[in-house]
């Protein structure tokens, strides 16, 4: 591609995605801030609830919406588009004056599966903090399956998927930190130890906060204050805690769960050893 074609393409993207799509937000991109921390995973674990409740702390202002996807599927849209999604410098100064500190964040649970994303975030935000919410991979997969059924994109039975994907995972390329061909599969997304390796290689452990989804659901006040401590801001009791995207579906067949418990056991054990904690997922 010639230099002129690249310039034209860049101008086209700016006009379409920054000026037209983001309107005044795009025009004021240069007056806006970048994220201070990231919620990087995982899908169907409570990250949407976390997104809405973080914003209730007086020192935190959320982005325009969750699942921004800039560092994976939207990276080509450029920094002006990305900046348009965050608060202005005026908002930042106002919050700093009122609460003493200001933070904003990017909540995209798909980031965890992508090693390119991890490297990009490290390059542009080397000292940032990362929050990862992990859910029992069996329940996470089942919930993700019914999301596909609800949207009309999934026609297979869950039992058929389990048979197909166990075979696929067993054939994965073990030389990769995470075989990203599995990132679109229900079971592959539950291989947390594989996914976390690249993040732990790039970032200091004290900059990554791992949350157990089940505890977040049962004891939200406790977990939120642990997160606030991790972010180095004062405690804040959230009285109107919101649970978002809570789904209802029939119980899993006992024989299917038994098969998945056995399948995930070595992966979970590897995770427990990595984190030095036992989530007791059965």
């Amino acid at each position: 591609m010639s230099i002129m074609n690249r310039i034209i393409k860049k101008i086209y993207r700016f006009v379409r995605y920054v000026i037209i799509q983001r309107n005044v937000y795009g025009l004021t991109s240069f007056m806006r801030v970048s994220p201070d921390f990231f919620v990087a995973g995982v899908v169907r674990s409570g990250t949407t609830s976390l997104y809405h409740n973080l914003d209730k702390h007086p020192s935190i202002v959320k982005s325009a919406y969750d699942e921004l996807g800039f560092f994976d599927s939207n990276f080509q849209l450029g920094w002006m588009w990305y900046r348009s999604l965050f608060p202005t410098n005026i908002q930042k100064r106002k919050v700093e004056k009122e609460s003493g500190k200001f933070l904003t964040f990017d909540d995209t649970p798909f980031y965890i599966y992508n090693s390119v994303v991890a490297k990009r975030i490290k390059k542009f935000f080397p000292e940032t903090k990362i929050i990862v919410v992990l859910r029992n991979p069996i329940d996470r997969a089942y919930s993700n399956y019914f999301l596909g059924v609800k949207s009309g994109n999934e026609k297979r039975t869950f039992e058929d998927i389990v048979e197909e994907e166990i075979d696929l995972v067993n054939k994965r390329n073990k030389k990769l930190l995470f075989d990203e061909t599995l990132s679109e599969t229900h079971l592959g997304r539950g291989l947390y130890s594989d996914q976390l390796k690249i993040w732990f290689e790039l970032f200091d452990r004290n900059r990554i906060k791992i949350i157990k989804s089940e505890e977040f659901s049962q004891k939200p006040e406790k977990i939120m204050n642990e997160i606030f401590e991790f972010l180095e801001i004062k405690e804040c009791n959230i009285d109107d805690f919101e649970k978002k995207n809570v789904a209802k579906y029939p119980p899993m067949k006992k024989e299917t769960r038994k098969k998945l418990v056995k399948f995930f056991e070595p992966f979970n054990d590897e995770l427990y050893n990595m984190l030095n904690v036992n989530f007791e997922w059965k």
Side-chain angles (χ1 to χ4, degrees):
M1 183 183 295
S2 68
I3 294 176
M4 182 56 68
N5 285 340
R6 286 200 294 269
I7 292 173
I8 292 172
K9 190 172 184 179
K10 190 173 183 179
I11 292 173
Y12 168 77
R13 285 176 177 169
F14 178 77
V15 172
R16 178 178 178 181
Y17 296 106
V18 178
I19 304 300
I20 296 176
Q21 185 185 91
R22 295 297 298 154
N23 309 136
V24 67
Y25 303 102
L27 290 171
T28 57
S29 293
F30 67 97
M31 300 170 55
R32 295 177 178 274
V33 299
S34 299
D36 299 287
F37 66 95
F38 295 83
V39 178
V42 299
V43 176
R44 304 306 298 166
S45 67
T47 57
T48 301
S49 295
L50 182 57
Y51 167 79
H52 287 282
N53 288 288
L54 280 168
D55 184 60
K56 295 178 180 180
H57 192 286
S59 293
I60 299 177
V61 180
K62 64 187 178 183
S63 57
Y65 50 87
D66 63 338
E67 298 189 10
L68 303 179
F70 175 68
F71 286 96
D72 49 18
S73 56
N74 291 320
F75 196 66
Q76 76 282 357
L77 300 185
W79 285 98
M80 294 292 279
W81 178 84
Y82 191 48
R83 290 279 292 273
S84 78
L85 299 165
F86 293 98
T88 63
N89 284 299
I90 295 173
Q91 287 176 282
K92 177 180 180 179
R93 288 193 292 271
K94 182 176 184 293
V95 170
E96 285 177 332
K97 184 178 180 180
E98 293 175 350
S99 70
K101 192 169 183 177
F102 168 89
L103 297 173
T104 188
F105 62 101
D106 178 344
D107 183 329
T108 304
F110 299 94
Y111 284 167
I112 193 69
Y113 311 124
N114 195 322
S115 62
V116 172
V117 167
K119 293 171 185 175
R120 283 173 174 167
I121 292 177
K122 177 63 178 179
K123 177 181 178 180
F124 294 107
F125 301 96
E127 300 302 317
T128 195
K129 292 187 175 183
I130 312 290
I131 297 171
V132 180
V133 188
L134 300 181
R135 182 181 182 183
N136 184 325
I138 299 173
D139 298 323
R140 197 224 64 80
Y142 199 51
S143 177
N144 212 166
Y145 165 74
F146 275 100
L147 186 66
V149 171
K150 183 178 179 180
S151 67
N153 295 323
E154 183 59 76
K155 305 299 182 183
R156 299 169 295 174
T157 67
F158 186 66
E159 291 69 34
D160 285 341
I161 288 173
V162 168
E163 293 298 327
E164 293 173 16
E165 294 189 359
I166 284 179
D167 185 58
L168 185 63
V169 170
N170 288 335
K171 292 177 179 177
R172 77 193 191 285
N173 187 345
K174 296 182 180 180
K175 293 181 180 179
L176 299 178
L177 282 173
F178 178 61
D179 188 342
E180 286 161 9
T181 61
L182 299 176
S183 65
E184 295 301 318
T185 67
H186 298 293
L187 302 191
R189 288 182 174 182
L191 309 183
Y192 303 139
S193 58
D194 281 13
Q195 297 157 25
L196 285 170
K197 285 174 184 175
I198 183 65
W199 296 87
F200 283 146
E201 283 191 6
L202 294 173
F203 295 92
D204 292 340
R205 295 263 179 140
N206 62 5
R207 294 199 163 275
I208 301 177
K209 176 70 173 177
I210 306 296
I211 301 298
K212 182 181 178 182
S213 176
E214 293 82 2
E215 188 174 14
F216 179 45
S217 177
Q218 295 164 7
K219 302 176 182 178
E221 183 177 305
K222 172 180 179 292
I223 296 302
M224 291 302 297
N225 276 315
E226 284 184 10
I227 292 172
F228 297 149
E229 181 180 9
F230 170 68
L231 296 174
E232 300 178 88
I233 52 179
K234 64 184 179 182
E235 287 191 359
C236 175
N237 294 326
I238 299 173
D239 297 326
D240 56 340
F241 184 85
E242 297 179 69
K243 288 189 176 182
K244 298 288 186 177
N245 293 348
V246 178
K248 293 183 178 180
Y249 35 80
M252 188 185 306
K253 293 181 179 179
K254 291 182 179 180
E255 58 268 27
T256 304
R257 176 171 288 276
K258 185 176 180 180
K259 181 178 293 185
L260 287 174
V261 167
K262 183 178 180 180
F263 167 75
F264 277 113
E265 187 172 23
F267 299 107
N268 289 341
D269 286 344
E270 185 177 9
L271 176 70
Y272 302 157
N273 289 332
M274 176 186 289
L275 303 180
N276 195 30
V277 63
N278 190 336
F279 289 150
E280 299 181 344
W281 284 328
K282 294 295 184 183

